[in-house]
Structures are given as structure tokens and as C-alpha cells.
């Protein structure tokens, strides 16, 4: 059984949960989706993991690291379940708001180190750059347009998980959508949000100065 653990604080509404859904659609076997922000009993989750043979951590990048609740989860598993999860293989699907997916490599190293301490296998990760953008293109087919590179990455990771094998970490960004254009779009959107919060650009510039 595969456990898909959504580690975003935003729960079901998160991009992390959306990307896990895309992965699940390509996995032809039993999966169980678990939302970490709903877990009250970490030991019960540890017992559930003993019944699984694959765990996929879906999470955003927070300050070049893993979200605090993920670190807490790792510590609880180390304290109470080390030596009980030898059959588990761990994979990661991570996303961030910045364009460059390589920035996720520290987070993936954290997961690798945790796996080594737990005595379990790390199977590989998928790092998704411009996650806010790609997570917002939910009406675009996963293998088309800006989603194409991401779709290939998810397909490759799904095959790796299904075979319970290991892959090199996969880094993807929007297809055919250069960094300069992404940056331009981001610059356009903050003005809209400022207006929604009853702030003018002039006021914001004055505050920054």
C-alpha cells in the first residue's frame, strides 16, 4: 500500500495536495491520502506506515527547509518507530513559489538524512519550480503547455514508485515559460493583492523606504 502524506498546512486546498492527486492518478494500485495537519496521534500514523511499503511526502518548501510539522513528524517517527519501518520506501513531491526548482535540494537532503537515520530507503524526489503557477493551471492537461515538463516528472516518479525502485531526484520548471516572463507575471499580481487589501503602490513603496 502507498501512503500519500499531504504535509501542507493548507490541507486539501493546497498545491501539494493537487500534485499528489496528479501522481495518484498515474499509480495503478491502492493508495491512501492522509493530511498531516489533521493528525492528532503520531503513533497511530506510525502504525499505519508499518502496513505500507511506500510513503510519498507532498510538501511545499518553507524557508529552504521542510515545514515545521514535517520536522515534528520525522522526530516522532525517529523516537517511537525507528527499526519498525524497514520495508518502507520514501519518495517526495515538493514545490515552491520561486522559479528555480534546484532550490528544493536542501529539503530533499533533509528527507534523505532522515531516511538514513531511520534505516529506511529513499526512493527519489520530484522538485517542482514555480509551484504556485503550475498549481493554478488545473484546467491544462498535465502533459501539455507549461505543464509538460512537470507531467513527465510525475510520470517518471509514478513508474519508479510502482516498481518500488529508486531514481535520481527530478527537477522541473514550467515548459516554454521563461524565468523573465514568470517574474513579470509575479510583479503584476502583487499590485492586485495590494488593492484588495486597500493598499496603494505608493503607500507600499513609502513603507519599504
Amino acid at each position: 500500500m502507498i501512503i500519500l502524506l499531504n504535509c501542507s498546512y493548507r490541507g486539501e486546498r493546497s498545491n501539494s495536495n493537487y500534485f499528489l492527486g496528479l501522481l495518484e492518478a498515474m499509480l495503478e494500485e491502492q493508495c491512501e491520502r492522509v493530511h498531516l495537519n489533521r493528525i492528532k496521534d503520531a503513533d497511530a500514523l506510525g502504525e499505519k506506515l508499518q502496513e505500507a511499503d511506500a510513503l510519498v511526502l507532498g510538501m511545499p518548501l518553507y524557508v529552504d527547509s521542510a515545514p515545521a510539522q514535517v520536522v515534528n513528524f520525522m522526530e516522532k517517527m525517529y523516537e517511537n518507530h525507528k527499526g519498525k519501518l524497514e520495508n518502507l520506501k520514501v519518495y517526495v513531491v515538493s514545490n515552491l513559489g520561486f522559479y528555480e526548482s534546484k532550490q528544493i535540494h536542501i529539503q530533499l537532503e533533509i528527507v534523505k538524512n532522515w531516511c538514513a537515520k531511520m534505516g529506511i530507503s529513499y526512493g527519489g524526489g520530484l522538485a517542482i519550480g514555480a509551484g504556485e503557477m503550475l498549481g493554478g493551471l488545473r484546467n491544462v492537461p498535465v502533459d501539455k503547455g507549461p505543464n509538460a515538463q512537470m507531467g513527465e516528472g510525475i510520470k517518471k516518479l509514478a513508474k519508479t514508485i510502482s516498481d518500488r525502485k529508486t531514481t535520481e531526484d527530478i527537477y522541473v520548471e514550467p515548459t516554454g515559460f521563461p524565468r523573465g516572463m514568470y517574474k513579470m507575471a509575479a510583479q503584476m499580481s502583487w499590485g492586485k493583492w495590494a488593492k484588495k487589501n486597500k493598499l496603494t503602490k505608493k503607500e507600499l513603496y513609502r513603507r519599504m523606504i
Side-chain angles (χ1 to χ4, degrees):
M1 181 176 69
I2 302 172
I3 300 292
L4 303 174
L5 185 60
N6 173 25
C7 303
S8 172
Y9 288 105
R10 291 167 61 194
E12 292 183 10
R13 299 177 294 106
S14 66
N15 288 322
S16 297
N17 193 49
Y18 168 65
F19 295 133
L20 284 177
L22 295 178
L23 178 69
E24 184 175 9
M26 297 186 187
L27 293 167
E28 298 178 357
E29 58 186 294
Q30 182 183 1
C31 297
E32 182 174 347
R33 190 87 58 95
V34 179
H35 300 283
L36 189 56
N37 65 347
R38 293 183 186 172
I39 297 297
K40 305 297 183 184
D41 185 352
D43 286 331
L45 177 56
E47 291 171 8
K48 186 185 291 289
L49 291 176
Q50 291 179 39
E51 302 171 4
D53 56 359
L55 167 67
V56 183
L57 300 171
M59 57 181 160
L61 183 73
Y62 277 11
V63 198
D64 283 340
S65 185
Q69 64 175 356
V70 177
V71 176
N72 184 57
F73 157 75
M74 290 176 171
E75 290 174 345
K76 292 291 185 184
M77 293 302 104
Y78 181 75
E79 291 169 4
N80 301 328
H81 297 277
K82 183 183 178 183
K84 301 176 183 178
L85 305 175
E86 298 97 332
N87 296 325
L88 194 66
K89 199 152 192 147
V90 177
Y91 303 88
V92 181
V93 176
S94 182
N95 68 97
L96 80 167
F98 291 118
Y99 188 87
E100 299 85 358
S101 58
K102 274 289 182 183
Q103 196 159 335
I104 293 175
H105 80 277
I106 296 174
Q107 186 189 76
L108 297 180
E109 287 297 325
I110 290 171
V111 178
K112 291 174 189 176
N113 290 335
W114 174 70
C115 288
K117 286 197 169 187
M118 288 290 295
I120 56 183
S121 299
Y122 175 79
L126 172 63
I128 302 172
E132 285 295 314
M133 172 186 164
L134 296 181
L137 298 177
R138 304 191 181 193
N139 294 325
V140 179
V142 71
D143 59 344
K144 303 294 183 184
N147 287 334
Q149 197 178 136
M150 179 188 71
E152 271 303 308
I154 292 175
K155 183 178 179 181
K156 182 177 180 180
L157 186 63
K159 180 69 167 61
T160 302
I161 296 170
S162 296
D163 296 338
R164 300 299 189 272
K165 291 186 177 179
T166 300
T167 182
E168 293 290 325
D169 292 328
I170 306 162
Y171 294 89
V172 302
E173 277 117 25
T175 303
F177 201 95
R179 183 181 185 278
M181 193 178 296
Y182 180 76
K183 185 177 178 181
M184 187 184 302
Q187 292 288 354
M188 291 169 61
S189 64
W190 74 266
K192 179 187 72 174
W193 286 105
K195 186 176 180 180
K196 187 175 181 180
N197 287 283
K198 298 179 180 179
L199 293 168
T200 66
K201 290 184 179 181
K202 185 177 179 181
E203 287 174 325
L204 288 171
Y205 279 126
R206 183 163 57 241
R207 291 184 187 192
M208 285 190 288
I209 292 170

